[in-house]
Amino acid sequence: MKRAVCAALVVGALTVSAQAAGPVSDYYIIDGGNFNCYLVNGLNVTTLFQTRDDQMPLAVADTIRTYGEYPEDFGSEYDLSGNWLGVDFPAGGGPDGQRIDGTTDGSNYNYMAAWNDASIWEFDRLWDNGRELFEVPGGATGVTYDVTTGNLWVIAHGDQQVQEFALDGTLLSSFAFNTDSGWMGALAYEPASDTLWATDYSNGDMYNFAKDGTVIDVLNYPELAGYAWGGEFAIPAPATLSLLTLSLLGVRRRR
């Protein structure tokens, strides 16, 4: 996958369309080309923060936990306002090659779409103890966790489909997508609307899908045109343990 030329940095908000509504909740999107994490809410886009390294996969619950785009890159933990919380997740571990998008169940596991080995990976909440869950023929460019079903939705680039998988890799459903570039990323399940969102990374088009594949809306956010691949909404996480609690339980804190 070739890195696209990044769009110019735009700070602030932009009104997209008077008719469109946009996401109901905060949609966090990382552009790995310029290390920006954007916040999309409704028709507005704000540059929330710059990542501390080349980071694209993100898991969002009570905090934002990013993962390095490549094996040499480290991840970090930020609060939902984009402030670094003093925690980094070291480079290494996980698959070789590019890591595209991430998600979390908000309690026990993070998940990640790996491009080069065309697979979905599972990690603990601290981006440690990674293992491959299942392969996605043709390449995976997005993954998100559905809290209503406990399943994963995946962008299967080779098939130009969004596919629903059980955690054991069983394919449960799928629908086709069609974008200008033929690519789609930043896949995210929005609990508030029980719908899926994703972007055409090249031009900033954002698609809202019902779970049966019906296109509910298409909006354009020029700020996102460039290399926006990581995307997530915050997953409700009443059982999420703090890093201190995890430490007391014997889970190693990454430095």
Short mmCIF file of all heavy atoms in Angstrom, two decimals, residues 89-118:
data_model
loop_
_atom_site.label_atom_id
_atom_site.label_comp_id
_atom_site.label_asym_id
_atom_site.label_seq_id
_atom_site.Cartn_x
_atom_site.Cartn_y
_atom_site.Cartn_z
N PHE A 89 3.37 2.37 24.69
CA PHE A 89 3.37 0.94 24.45
C PHE A 89 4.48 0.67 23.43
O PHE A 89 4.38 1.08 22.27
CB PHE A 89 2.01 0.48 23.92
CG PHE A 89 0.87 0.91 24.79
CD1 PHE A 89 -0.06 1.83 24.33
CD2 PHE A 89 0.73 0.42 26.07
CE1 PHE A 89 -1.13 2.24 25.12
CE2 PHE A 89 -0.32 0.83 26.89
CZ PHE A 89 -1.25 1.74 26.42
N PRO A 90 5.56 -0.02 23.84
CA PRO A 90 6.78 -0.10 23.03
C PRO A 90 6.57 -0.73 21.66
O PRO A 90 5.62 -1.48 21.44
CB PRO A 90 7.70 -0.96 23.88
CG PRO A 90 7.21 -0.78 25.28
CD PRO A 90 5.73 -0.66 25.15
N ALA A 91 7.52 -0.43 20.78
CA ALA A 91 7.54 -1.05 19.47
C ALA A 91 7.83 -2.54 19.61
O ALA A 91 8.30 -3.01 20.66
CB ALA A 91 8.60 -0.38 18.60
N GLY A 92 7.58 -3.27 18.55
CA GLY A 92 7.80 -4.71 18.59
C GLY A 92 6.53 -5.43 18.99
O GLY A 92 5.57 -4.83 19.47
N GLY A 93 6.51 -6.71 18.79
CA GLY A 93 5.30 -7.47 19.07
C GLY A 93 4.31 -7.32 17.93
O GLY A 93 4.36 -6.37 17.16
N GLY A 94 3.41 -8.25 17.80
CA GLY A 94 2.44 -8.18 16.72
C GLY A 94 3.05 -8.58 15.40
O GLY A 94 4.18 -9.08 15.32
N PRO A 95 2.33 -8.34 14.31
CA PRO A 95 2.79 -8.79 12.99
C PRO A 95 3.85 -7.88 12.41
O PRO A 95 4.01 -6.73 12.81
CB PRO A 95 1.51 -8.71 12.16
CG PRO A 95 0.75 -7.57 12.78
CD PRO A 95 1.02 -7.68 14.26
N ASP A 96 4.59 -8.42 11.43
CA ASP A 96 5.49 -7.58 10.65
C ASP A 96 4.65 -6.72 9.70
O ASP A 96 3.49 -7.01 9.44
CB ASP A 96 6.45 -8.45 9.84
CG ASP A 96 7.42 -9.21 10.73
OD1 ASP A 96 7.74 -8.71 11.83
OD2 ASP A 96 7.87 -10.30 10.32
N GLY A 97 5.27 -5.68 9.19
CA GLY A 97 4.58 -4.85 8.22
C GLY A 97 3.65 -3.84 8.85
O GLY A 97 3.72 -3.54 10.04
N GLN A 98 2.72 -3.35 8.05
CA GLN A 98 1.89 -2.21 8.43
C GLN A 98 0.68 -2.64 9.24
O GLN A 98 0.00 -3.61 8.94
CB GLN A 98 1.44 -1.48 7.17
CG GLN A 98 0.81 -0.12 7.43
CD GLN A 98 0.46 0.58 6.13
OE1 GLN A 98 0.16 -0.06 5.14
NE2 GLN A 98 0.49 1.90 6.14
N ARG A 99 0.39 -1.84 10.29
CA ARG A 99 -0.77 -2.03 11.13
C ARG A 99 -1.73 -0.87 10.85
O ARG A 99 -1.36 0.29 10.98
CB ARG A 99 -0.37 -2.05 12.60
CG ARG A 99 0.60 -3.18 13.00
CD ARG A 99 2.06 -2.79 12.87
NE ARG A 99 2.99 -3.86 13.24
CZ ARG A 99 3.47 -4.00 14.47
NH1 ARG A 99 3.13 -3.16 15.42
NH2 ARG A 99 4.31 -4.98 14.74
N ILE A 100 -2.97 -1.16 10.48
CA ILE A 100 -3.83 -0.15 9.88
C ILE A 100 -4.84 0.45 10.86
O ILE A 100 -4.88 1.66 11.09
CB ILE A 100 -4.59 -0.75 8.67
CG1 ILE A 100 -3.61 -1.22 7.61
CG2 ILE A 100 -5.55 0.28 8.08
CD1 ILE A 100 -2.86 -0.12 6.93
N ASP A 101 -5.69 -0.38 11.43
CA ASP A 101 -6.83 0.09 12.20
C ASP A 101 -6.95 -0.76 13.45
O ASP A 101 -6.45 -1.89 13.51
CB ASP A 101 -8.11 -0.02 11.35
CG ASP A 101 -9.32 0.66 11.97
OD1 ASP A 101 -9.14 1.53 12.84
OD2 ASP A 101 -10.45 0.32 11.59
N GLY A 102 -7.60 -0.23 14.48
CA GLY A 102 -7.75 -0.97 15.73
C GLY A 102 -9.13 -0.76 16.33
O GLY A 102 -9.92 0.05 15.88
N THR A 103 -9.40 -1.52 17.39
CA THR A 103 -10.66 -1.43 18.11
C THR A 103 -10.49 -2.10 19.47
O THR A 103 -9.41 -2.63 19.77
CB THR A 103 -11.81 -2.09 17.30
OG1 THR A 103 -13.06 -1.80 17.91
CG2 THR A 103 -11.62 -3.60 17.23
N THR A 104 -11.51 -2.10 20.28
CA THR A 104 -11.46 -2.74 21.59
C THR A 104 -12.84 -3.19 22.02
O THR A 104 -13.85 -2.63 21.56
CB THR A 104 -10.88 -1.79 22.66
OG1 THR A 104 -10.76 -2.47 23.91
CG2 THR A 104 -11.77 -0.55 22.85
N ASP A 105 -12.87 -4.21 22.89
CA ASP A 105 -14.13 -4.57 23.52
C ASP A 105 -14.37 -3.76 24.77
O ASP A 105 -15.38 -3.91 25.44
CB ASP A 105 -14.20 -6.07 23.80
CG ASP A 105 -13.15 -6.54 24.82
OD1 ASP A 105 -12.46 -5.69 25.43
OD2 ASP A 105 -13.03 -7.77 25.01
N GLY A 106 -13.41 -2.88 25.11
CA GLY A 106 -13.54 -1.99 26.24
C GLY A 106 -13.26 -2.62 27.58
O GLY A 106 -13.30 -1.95 28.61
N SER A 107 -12.96 -3.92 27.60
CA SER A 107 -12.78 -4.62 28.87
C SER A 107 -11.53 -5.48 28.88
O SER A 107 -10.67 -5.31 29.74
CB SER A 107 -14.01 -5.48 29.16
OG SER A 107 -13.87 -6.16 30.39
N ASN A 108 -11.43 -6.40 27.94
CA ASN A 108 -10.35 -7.39 27.98
C ASN A 108 -9.38 -7.32 26.81
O ASN A 108 -8.20 -7.62 26.98
CB ASN A 108 -10.95 -8.81 28.03
CG ASN A 108 -11.77 -9.04 29.27
OD1 ASN A 108 -11.33 -8.78 30.39
ND2 ASN A 108 -12.99 -9.55 29.08
N TYR A 109 -9.85 -6.97 25.63
CA TYR A 109 -9.02 -7.12 24.44
C TYR A 109 -9.07 -5.90 23.51
O TYR A 109 -10.11 -5.23 23.41
CB TYR A 109 -9.46 -8.35 23.64
CG TYR A 109 -9.33 -9.64 24.41
CD1 TYR A 109 -10.47 -10.29 24.89
CD2 TYR A 109 -8.08 -10.21 24.67
CE1 TYR A 109 -10.37 -11.48 25.61
CE2 TYR A 109 -7.97 -11.39 25.40
CZ TYR A 109 -9.11 -12.02 25.85
OH TYR A 109 -9.01 -13.18 26.57
N ASN A 110 -7.94 -5.67 22.83
CA ASN A 110 -7.87 -4.81 21.67
C ASN A 110 -7.72 -5.69 20.44
O ASN A 110 -7.18 -6.80 20.53
CB ASN A 110 -6.66 -3.86 21.74
CG ASN A 110 -6.74 -2.89 22.89
OD1 ASN A 110 -7.81 -2.63 23.45
ND2 ASN A 110 -5.59 -2.33 23.28
N TYR A 111 -8.16 -5.18 19.30
CA TYR A 111 -8.04 -5.91 18.04
C TYR A 111 -7.44 -4.98 16.99
O TYR A 111 -7.59 -3.76 17.07
CB TYR A 111 -9.41 -6.41 17.57
CG TYR A 111 -10.09 -7.29 18.60
CD1 TYR A 111 -10.99 -6.75 19.52
CD2 TYR A 111 -9.82 -8.65 18.66
CE1 TYR A 111 -11.60 -7.55 20.47
CE2 TYR A 111 -10.44 -9.47 19.61
CZ TYR A 111 -11.32 -8.91 20.51
OH TYR A 111 -11.92 -9.69 21.46
N MET A 112 -6.75 -5.58 16.01
CA MET A 112 -6.04 -4.77 15.04
C MET A 112 -6.09 -5.43 13.66
O MET A 112 -6.01 -6.66 13.54
CB MET A 112 -4.58 -4.62 15.46
CG MET A 112 -3.77 -3.68 14.60
SD MET A 112 -2.02 -4.02 14.79
CE MET A 112 -1.93 -5.67 14.11
N ALA A 113 -6.22 -4.59 12.63
CA ALA A 113 -6.16 -5.04 11.24
C ALA A 113 -4.74 -4.88 10.74
O ALA A 113 -4.19 -3.78 10.73
CB ALA A 113 -7.13 -4.23 10.38
N ALA A 114 -4.14 -6.00 10.33
CA ALA A 114 -2.77 -6.00 9.81
C ALA A 114 -2.80 -6.12 8.30
O ALA A 114 -3.40 -7.05 7.76
CB ALA A 114 -1.98 -7.16 10.43
N TRP A 115 -2.13 -5.18 7.61
CA TRP A 115 -2.21 -5.16 6.16
C TRP A 115 -1.34 -6.23 5.51
O TRP A 115 -1.81 -7.03 4.71
CB TRP A 115 -1.80 -3.78 5.63
CG TRP A 115 -1.61 -3.75 4.15
CD1 TRP A 115 -0.43 -3.63 3.46
CD2 TRP A 115 -2.63 -3.90 3.15
NE1 TRP A 115 -0.65 -3.67 2.11
CE2 TRP A 115 -1.99 -3.84 1.89
CE3 TRP A 115 -4.01 -4.06 3.21
CZ2 TRP A 115 -2.70 -3.94 0.70
CZ3 TRP A 115 -4.71 -4.17 2.02
CH2 TRP A 115 -4.06 -4.10 0.78
N ASN A 116 -0.06 -6.30 5.85
CA ASN A 116 0.86 -7.16 5.11
C ASN A 116 0.55 -8.64 5.22
O ASN A 116 0.70 -9.39 4.26
CB ASN A 116 2.30 -6.90 5.55
CG ASN A 116 2.77 -5.52 5.14
OD1 ASN A 116 2.43 -4.54 5.79
ND2 ASN A 116 3.53 -5.41 4.06
N ASP A 117 0.13 -9.09 6.42
CA ASP A 117 -0.20 -10.51 6.53
C ASP A 117 -1.71 -10.75 6.44
O ASP A 117 -2.18 -11.86 6.70
CB ASP A 117 0.38 -11.13 7.79
CG ASP A 117 -0.27 -10.64 9.07
OD1 ASP A 117 -1.11 -9.70 9.00
OD2 ASP A 117 0.03 -11.19 10.14
N ALA A 118 -2.47 -9.71 6.05
CA ALA A 118 -3.90 -9.86 5.75
C ALA A 118 -4.64 -10.61 6.84
O ALA A 118 -5.25 -11.65 6.62
CB ALA A 118 -4.10 -10.56 4.41
#
